[in-house]
Amino acid sequence: MNTESYSAFIKQEAKRLGFEYCGFSKAEFLEEEAPRFDKWLHQNMQGQMDYMANYHDMRLDPRLLVPGAKSVISLMLNYFPEEKQNESAPKISKYAYGKDYHYVIKDKLKELLANIREHVGEINGRAFVDSAPVLERAWAAKSGLGWIGKNAQLIRPGSGSFFFLAELIIDIELEYDGPIKDYCGSCTRCIDACPTQAIVGPNVVDGSKCISYFTIELEEAIPIEMKGKMDDWMFGCDVCQDVCPWNRFSHPHTEQKLKANPALLEMSKKDWEEITEEVFKKTFAGSPLKRAGYEGIKRNLAFVTS
């Protein structure tokens, strides 16, 4: 088995498919991450995201997801948009400007896996985007794609953090990349800027206090104590990334399928207030906004603008 040539081929194919960065790590139990993850769950920082406790052992050991797994391939896809929303509109996280990234990335991963099989021969492997029980930031950090910053986001030197992460777990050995240095230093801008104080310590985000949690994951009413603290965010939140000095290096993506929906960019606060369910479903079919749904978006809008 020529691990060197296989590794070079995979990185070349990943780049051809539009992934900006690709790294490899050995598929093994996440020994360092396990106690931190268990502590996070024990302190109920997942809020009502009960699925985070599901498939616990699989999250910590990729060999339980793919029998015989030897390597985790971590990939980064840029989503930083060139366009901006109408300034009068309630804010939407940048990742949601275009088409749902799950579909875009899954197609790329399937093609990458098929090309690896064609080049290497029959292998066992699976593709994962963030809906699966994989600790993607941990694997990306182990694969040398960046470090996990104080805002718990993966940060790439010279590129920032506006990236989607994805993985292929396969049963062949590759040339593994090692982790890189943490370059956050003494900076605490993300911690200081978080409107709801959800970053409770370096690298630790209390998900149950995060604006993204309130506007996307939470099915019941947003807690009244959050009134006036949402910074006009209607879907998701980018504050901890927007203030990060490393994101001055962010550059617009070139993925056509993630291109911003012109209707979303043009909508004013008044447009959002008057949108009907029929128009919402038609305008945002295939959009990440469907995760919250029409009723969820209207709930969020009322909470942050009233």
Side-chain angles (χ1 to χ4, degrees):
M1 183 182 294
N2 190 335
T3 58
E4 184 178 351
S5 66
Y6 291 168
S7 299
F9 172 80
I10 292 170
K11 288 189 176 183
Q12 181 182 345
E13 278 297 289
K15 187 173 183 179
R16 185 185 67 81
L17 289 168
F19 292 105
E20 290 212 16
Y21 304 105
C22 174
F24 312 133
S25 46
K26 183 179 180 181
E28 58 188 358
F29 180 72
L30 290 171
E31 190 170 349
E32 289 184 21
E33 290 76 12
R36 290 197 289 265
F37 180 60
D38 287 345
K39 181 179 180 181
W40 187 81
L41 289 174
H42 182 70
Q43 294 178 336
N44 293 317
M45 292 188 183
Q46 75 276 27
Q48 292 185 12
M49 297 182 288
D50 296 334
Y51 61 83
M52 290 299 298
N54 296 339
Y55 308 107
H56 175 273
D57 293 345
M58 287 184 177
R59 290 183 189 275
L60 297 171
D61 193 337
R63 295 169 298 182
L64 299 177
L65 284 165
V66 177
K70 290 185 171 63
S71 302
V72 178
I73 302 171
S74 291
L75 303 126
M76 298 174 71
L77 185 71
N78 182 17
Y79 68 84
F80 188 75
E82 187 171 14
E83 309 89 340
K84 294 183 179 180
Q85 278 185 270
N86 183 321
E87 290 187 3
S88 74
K91 301 173 190 174
I92 292 172
S93 185
K94 296 175 185 64
Y95 85 85
Y97 281 11
K99 185 178 179 181
D100 191 329
Y101 65 94
H102 292 91
Y103 304 125
V104 177
I105 294 177
K106 260 296 174 62
D107 287 345
K108 291 179 182 291
L109 292 177
K110 288 177 181 176
E111 185 174 349
L112 179 57
L113 185 56
N115 293 344
I116 294 172
R117 284 174 171 149
E118 185 176 337
H119 183 77
V120 175
E122 187 56 37
I123 63 168
N124 188 24
R126 288 179 63 187
F128 299 92
V129 191
D130 67 0
S131 57
V134 177
L135 296 181
E136 56 184 10
R137 279 168 284 188
W139 288 111
K142 286 174 73 69
S143 301
L145 297 187
W147 76 94
I148 297 177
K150 289 177 182 170
N151 60 0
Q153 300 295 312
L154 188 92
I155 304 173
R156 172 87 183 182
S159 297
S161 62
F162 288 103
F163 290 89
F164 295 125
L165 301 178
E167 302 78 38
L168 285 181
I169 299 176
I170 60 176
D171 64 349
I172 61 170
E173 292 182 353
L174 299 171
E175 286 197 323
Y176 302 126
D177 302 287
I180 67 169
K181 181 183 173 183
D182 182 326
Y183 289 99
C184 280
S186 60
C187 178
T188 59
R189 291 189 192 180
C190 58
I191 297 174
D192 300 337
C194 180
T196 57
Q197 287 79 55
I199 307 175
V200 295
N203 317 104
V204 183
V205 173
D206 185 341
S208 69
K209 295 180 180 178
C210 181
I211 291 174
S212 290
Y213 167 75
F214 293 132
T215 57
I216 302 173
E217 300 282 352
L218 187 66
E219 295 183 2
E220 60 189 41
I222 299 172
I224 193 65
E225 59 265 26
M226 290 298 120
K227 199 72 176 172
K229 298 180 180 180
M230 303 280 281
D231 197 28
D232 211 24
W233 287 95
M234 182 177 71
F235 184 90
C237 178
D238 289 335
V239 170
C240 67
Q241 296 192 84
D242 287 338
V243 301
C244 177
W246 287 100
N247 278 322
R248 70 184 184 276
F249 297 111
S250 298
H251 58 274
H253 69 80
T254 58
E255 176 55 61
Q256 286 300 306
K257 292 180 180 178
L258 293 175
K259 192 172 181 179
N261 181 343
L264 181 150
L265 298 177
E266 294 167 3
M267 289 180 71
S268 65
K269 177 183 175 183
K270 187 171 185 291
D271 292 330
W272 281 109
E273 289 173 342
E274 295 178 352
I275 193 170
T276 64
E277 185 168 8
E278 182 182 2
V279 171
F280 176 85
K281 288 182 176 179
K282 182 178 179 180
T283 305
F284 298 108
S287 161
L289 270 69
K290 70 182 187 300
R291 176 86 179 273
Y294 176 74
E295 293 299 333
I297 290 293
K298 296 297 278 187
R299 175 203 65 176
N300 299 345
L301 178 65
F303 191 86
V304 300
T305 61
S306 62

